[in-house]
Amino acid sequence: MKRRDFLKIAGALSLAGCAGTVPSKARVVIVGGGFGGATAAKYIRKWAPAVDVVLVERESAFVSCPISNLVLAGYSSMPEISQDYDGLRRHGVQVVRDEAIAVDAAKKTVRLARGGDIAYERLIVSPGIDFSFAEIEGYEAAMQAGRVLHAWKAGEQTVALRRQLEDLRDGGVVVLSIPLAPYRCPPGPYERASMIAAYLKQAKPRSKLLVLDANPDVTSKGALFKKAWADLYKGTLEYRGNAKAVAIDARSMTVKLEVEDVRGDVLNVVPPQRAGNIAQSAGLITHNNRWCDVDWRSMESRKVPGVHVLGDATLSAPLMPKSASMANNHAKIAAAAIIEQLSGRAPQSDTQILNTCYSFVSQKEAIRVSSVHRWDAKDGTLKPVAGAGGVSAARSEAEGTFAWNWARTIWADTLA
Ligand SMILES: Cc1cc2nc3c(=O)[nH]c(=O)nc-3n(C[C@H](O)[C@H](O)[C@H](O)COP(=O)(O)OP(=O)(O)OC[C@H]3O[C@@H](n4cnc5c(N)ncnc54)[C@H](O)[C@@H]3O)c2cc1C
């Protein structure tokens, strides 16, 4: 975001705060303390301290998906990608460890799993993704038996997948299956392929990684990933496009594609995704039973007034990735808009946000893609700005340093 754009928002917000027009008892409830929800909680408190902010999060700690692929290779660790919510508490956010199970938009209440309702003036829902397991026959049974993992929500499955890679015999086969786009983090599966291949090359040199992509080709930074694979992982990593997983046979450790069966010793199958369950039960989903359409000037649901949806759960604007970078920006749009709305004013309409996604291709080298998205009044959506952004010229250790700096900066911006 350019400085003048930030100042426009900052100016409007300080007006809202100074004028004291936000009702002193106004309460915003936020469901989900990931990149979207935690950032929104912090920025509403920072920009309008009179607003009561309650964050409902079912986990005790935040675990970052960005950098979690490095944990699989042994280049990072779970403590390094995990944080508690004390930073938000220091901003005056009330953090409630519970699961939101229903929303009554007419009464403006959120029901909690442990019992009780919380009333809100404005609600933010940032639940991330849940999985459409049923689209891959046998998936859930295989997962329950510990025979297949997705590790597409960082946490215990990340630890389990790392352990499976460590336990793999030298000469074994790892299968990584990628769903059709759109899914969380377009370059994420290809970064994972690079990290697993790096580990195999170093620790189990006779082993192989087979990447089965339901998409016809690598969906993000394709030329850069493929060059890295050819230069670094020839003989270790094999990539196949148009290879959609339709079933899993846990007993024979087989992933069934439309035309053939592929056997592996470790099965990392990333299933198709949709907005998190609470978005479904709150009636926020508008498209293909999967995603929630929003007004990009406020992030307010186009279906349920008074409820704002952030992050991966949204129906993406054109060429907008589902990324931590975007969720963090969505949160700032929503925080600014909600403060305006609580003050009886319309949200600003000149929204402009920036996305940057880094991917590691080896322990130290990374590649980057970035884009700028600006409100287009004619089409009523955010659109990529022509000529802004682009991809790295080549993989480099300098990009690797930037990638680590990006991660530490966004963790601090979200939680500290
Ligand atoms: C392997 C991998 C690598 C990635 N790398 C990058 C990267 O390098 N750069 C990048 O920008 N993005 C990256 N991403 C994408 C990024 O992680 C997501 O886009 C981002 O987390 C989305 O934020 P969110 O707030 O929508 O969801 P999340 O961050 O997943 O947060 C959702 C939160 O809501 C909570 N929750 C859900 N439902 C409820 C409920 N009913 N009640 C209470 N709590 C609830 C969950 O516990 C969770 O804490 C990566 C993703 C993966 C999987």
Side-chain angles (χ1 to χ4, degrees):
M1 192 181 292
K2 285 183 185 154
R3 184 166 172 273
R4 67 165 187 276
D5 298 310
F6 174 75
L7 288 177
K8 267 189 220 156
I9 290 180
L13 293 169
S14 60
L15 267 181
C18 295
T21 45
V22 174
S24 58
K25 292 271 190 265
R27 180 191 286 155
V28 177
V29 173
I30 301 173
V31 174
F35 281 97
T39 307
K42 170 177 160 179
Y43 276 86
I44 293 173
R45 288 291 305 161
K46 260 175 89 86
W47 289 340
V51 177
D52 207 7
V53 176
V54 179
L55 174 68
V56 181
E57 167 57 51
R58 63 179 164 217
E59 305 294 342
S60 59
F62 169 98
V63 186
S64 173
C65 285
I67 304 294
S68 68
N69 283 329
L70 277 70
V71 175
L72 301 176
Y75 302 150
S76 180
S77 65
M78 292 307 284
E80 195 166 30
I81 64 168
S82 309
Q83 284 192 46
D84 62 29
Y85 285 103
D86 286 352
L88 292 186
R89 291 190 181 94
R90 283 193 285 277
H91 285 285
V93 176
Q94 295 175 54
V95 182
V96 175
R97 172 131 190 241
D98 209 332
E99 169 141 10
I101 50 169
V103 173
D104 186 329
K107 287 195 194 145
K108 293 192 157 191
T109 55
V110 177
R111 173 140 305 166
L112 301 180
R114 290 186 208 178
D117 293 347
I118 311 182
Y120 64 81
E121 249 82 18
R122 290 260 154 197
L123 175 65
I124 294 178
V125 175
S126 188
I129 49 148
D130 272 303
F131 300 102
S132 304
F133 292 120
E135 288 184 36
I136 302 178
E137 197 190 319
Y139 195 107
E140 268 185 287
M143 189 172 67
Q144 271 148 27
R147 309 285 277 175
V148 65
L149 294 165
H150 53 77
W152 216 242
K153 290 184 184 187
E156 54 190 45
Q157 287 221 0
T158 315
V159 176
L161 183 54
R162 167 70 183 159
R163 196 168 303 132
Q164 289 190 358
L165 293 171
E166 284 177 313
D167 292 346
L168 179 74
R169 70 186 161 86
D170 192 8
V173 175
V174 180
V175 174
L176 167 59
S177 157
I178 303 168
L180 276 176
Y183 54 82
R184 154 177 283 185
C185 194
Y190 312 108
E191 178 186 63
R192 175 165 296 176
S194 309
M195 292 296 92
I196 293 177
Y199 172 70
L200 296 181
K201 185 177 162 185
Q202 164 228 317
K204 328 248 165 175
R206 293 190 296 131
S207 299
K208 272 201 141 199
L209 169 66
L210 195 50
V211 182
L212 305 175
D213 194 343
N215 300 286
D217 206 345
V218 175
T219 62
S220 175
K221 296 180 262 192
L224 290 165
F225 274 117
K226 285 188 198 163
K227 169 131 181 53
W229 297 344
D231 291 349
L232 304 172
Y233 308 123
K234 208 160 181 229
T236 302
L237 188 161
E238 183 186 328
Y239 174 84
R240 290 190 208 163
N242 288 318
K244 183 176 167 200
V246 292
I248 291 173
D249 180 1
R251 261 196 320 183
S252 60
M253 290 293 280
T254 303
V255 178
K256 292 177 184 289
L257 308 177
E258 275 151 341
V259 288
E260 60 174 323
D261 295 352
V262 177
R263 219 203 68 79
D265 300 288
V266 172
L267 303 186
N268 178 202
V269 177
V270 181
Q273 296 149 38
R274 56 177 173 74
N277 290 337
I278 185 69
Q280 199 163 39
S281 57
L284 292 161
I285 293 187
T286 53
H287 277 69
N288 304 333
N289 274 330
R290 291 177 81 186
W291 311 115
C292 311
D293 200 3
V294 295
D295 182 332
W296 293 100
R297 294 164 297 181
S298 61
M299 305 305 296
E300 188 163 358
S301 161
R302 291 208 188 263
K303 201 166 162 214
V304 185
V307 182
H308 303 249
V309 185
L310 313 180
D312 292 351
T314 56
L315 174 71
S316 302
L319 298 176
M320 179 184 284
K322 295 188 181 299
S323 69
S325 204
M326 279 292 93
N328 174 276
N329 276 280
H330 295 170
K332 290 170 187 169
I333 296 173
I338 286 171
I339 294 167
E340 293 295 282
Q341 288 167 320
L342 290 174
S343 311
R345 291 187 291 266
Q348 302 235 338
S349 59
D350 51 355
T351 314
Q352 178 167 288
I353 54 179
L354 165 72
N355 184 75
T356 306
C357 280
Y358 290 94
S359 305
F360 280 88
V361 291
S362 66
Q363 180 169 7
K364 296 214 166 129
E365 294 167 315
I367 55 180
R368 171 191 43 84
V369 59
S370 46
S371 52
V372 178
H373 305 257
R374 184 188 289 154
W375 175 250
D376 181 300
K378 187 162 77 55
D379 291 341
T381 189
L382 290 179
K383 285 183 143 180
V385 175
V391 297
S392 322
R395 68 176 189 274
S396 69
E397 290 197 8
E399 293 278 35
T401 305
F402 298 148
W404 268 110
N405 289 344
W406 171 86
R408 293 188 181 110
T409 304
I410 199 168
W411 291 336
D413 190 49
T414 302
L415 292 155

